[in-house]
Amino acid sequence: ELPTCLTSLVNLTELRLEDNLLAGIAPFVSLLTELRLLNLENNMIASVPDELGCLINLETLILSKNPFNQAFPLALCGLTTLKTLSAMESRFTLLPAAFCHLTGLTSINLDPAYIRVPAKEVLAKGLDAVSSYLKELLEAVKTHRLDLSSRSLEEVPVEICSLLGLEELILDGNTFAYLPPQPFREWVDGRKVETTVDIFDIIDNSVYHGIPDMMDLHTLVLLSAKNNQLCMIPPEIADLSALTVLHLDHNKLQDLPEELGMCTALTELTITNNEMAVLPVTLGNLVNLK
């Protein structure tokens, strides 16, 4: 444990505690507001506390080689003076959208093997790409439009399923094979099989456990997923009752679900360059197609 006498060192600018057996960080560390550097590498810290968000002058935070397994704390997203963040061989599982508010960051070293948000393809492009992606998520809450075209994404980011109120979603030019809830909800031998995962709720800045379902975005008016590798469309697409434009060109679709015929608000449906031999008769219900 940290000795409480540290509370009197109010002018301390560097605190190096690496290579110890600390199991936690005492709340009184929040009183050391002059800290510029805090090194906690190679300890036994099980959780990164919100109190570190009070270190308003912190420039370097090193949390590598600790056993915590958690989302990056929202309370730390206000550390605008932070320049260097290192947490290799530790498990930050996601970066909240507010992570983009760390405008002073010039160097991050995080273990991508454990981070689910943002996607590994975004992480691989570096800090600027991460910040840009997270800013886009926040902006989508206000504009009700999100464009993730040509990002080399292999899977639809599950966090977009929390963007209730979204009206336009553009996913063109990636390599998606499925649209959620697939493959998290599938029928196997006549039995429904569901897989739950942790989902970051962008609007509430919280994490919940559930089945990602893009078809919960009931306000969607436009959905474009051209130039992907889609092999099927989930039957839950019937839930998108407000959808007026659906673009599915240049995919690997061999059929369309009969439930698509329930999207009676559709005025535009494009499915060129797929692998379909027949169309469902229920498309005859789409009387508003132009």
Side-chain angles (χ1 to χ4, degrees):
E1 297 181 356
L2 294 178
T4 56
C5 62
L6 284 176
T7 58
S8 62
L9 304 178
V10 293
N11 294 315
L12 196 67
T13 59
E14 293 190 8
L15 182 56
R16 298 179 180 271
L17 299 166
E18 62 267 36
D19 302 319
N20 284 289
L21 297 173
L22 295 173
I25 306 170
F28 65 72
V29 169
S30 64
L31 301 175
L32 305 177
T33 56
E34 294 301 315
L35 277 182
R36 266 59 172 179
L37 181 148
L38 177 58
N39 189 343
L40 296 163
E41 183 175 3
N42 197 25
N43 277 278
M44 298 298 294
I45 296 169
S47 177
V48 179
D50 290 346
E51 284 80 5
L52 294 187
C54 296
L55 303 180
I56 56 175
N57 292 301
L58 197 64
E59 297 178 355
T60 301
L61 177 59
I62 303 174
L63 298 167
S64 301
K65 298 181 181 179
N66 280 285
F68 59 80
N69 186 351
Q70 66 180 93
F72 187 84
L74 279 170
L76 272 61
C77 293
L79 296 176
T80 56
T81 59
L82 195 65
K83 297 178 180 178
T84 300
L85 171 65
S86 182
M88 292 300 294
E89 296 183 49
S90 297
R91 297 190 180 187
F92 278 133
T93 56
L94 64 83
L95 305 181
F99 187 87
C100 67
H101 295 156
L102 295 173
T103 54
L105 268 183
T106 57
S107 174
I108 56 171
N109 292 290
L110 305 176
D111 200 328
Y114 302 111
I115 296 177
R116 295 188 297 275
V117 179
K120 63 182 184 296
E121 296 89 352
V122 177
L123 288 169
K125 294 179 180 178
L127 178 58
D128 288 344
V130 169
S131 296
S132 177
Y133 174 75
L134 296 175
K135 285 178 182 176
E136 287 180 83
L137 294 183
L138 286 178
E139 190 66 22
V141 177
K142 301 176 184 178
T143 64
H144 310 296
R145 184 180 190 274
L146 182 62
D147 186 347
L148 295 181
S149 56
S150 302
R151 305 297 178 92
S152 302
L153 296 170
E154 296 178 4
E155 299 177 353
V156 175
V158 298
E159 58 270 19
I160 70 174
C161 299
S162 72
L163 282 171
L164 303 183
L166 199 66
E167 297 175 0
E168 297 184 10
L169 179 58
I170 303 169
L171 302 172
D172 303 340
N174 290 286
T175 56
F176 304 138
Y178 302 98
L179 299 178
Q182 296 171 337
F184 305 98
R185 181 187 295 135
E186 296 182 298
W187 289 90
V188 179
D189 297 328
R191 182 171 57 92
K192 184 165 65 172
V193 178
E194 297 183 331
T195 303
T196 57
V197 296
D198 287 335
I199 304 171
F200 175 60
D201 190 314
I202 300 162
I203 298 175
D204 292 339
N205 274 320
S206 60
V207 179
Y208 65 95
H209 202 68
I211 299 170
D213 193 346
M214 208 173 82
M215 306 308 153
D216 283 340
L217 302 177
H218 298 151
T219 54
L220 271 185
V221 175
L222 181 150
L223 173 59
S224 185
K226 297 181 292 185
N227 294 292
N228 277 280
Q229 302 291 318
L230 292 175
C231 57
M232 61 180 67
I233 301 298
E236 290 88 348
I237 196 166
D239 296 333
L240 300 182
S241 57
L243 198 64
T244 60
V245 178
L246 178 60
H247 294 160
L248 298 171
D249 311 83
H250 296 277
N251 279 285
K252 295 185 176 181
L253 297 171
Q254 295 185 353
D255 54 37
L256 292 173
E258 292 184 357
E259 291 81 358
L260 183 59
M262 299 174 66
C263 297
T264 54
L266 276 174
T267 61
E268 185 176 335
L269 172 63
T270 61
I271 50 175
T272 61
N273 291 95
N274 277 282
E275 301 174 4
M276 288 177 285
V278 295
L279 296 175
V281 295
T282 55
L283 292 190
N285 297 330
L286 306 180
V287 295
N288 293 310
L289 285 180
K290 299 178 180 178

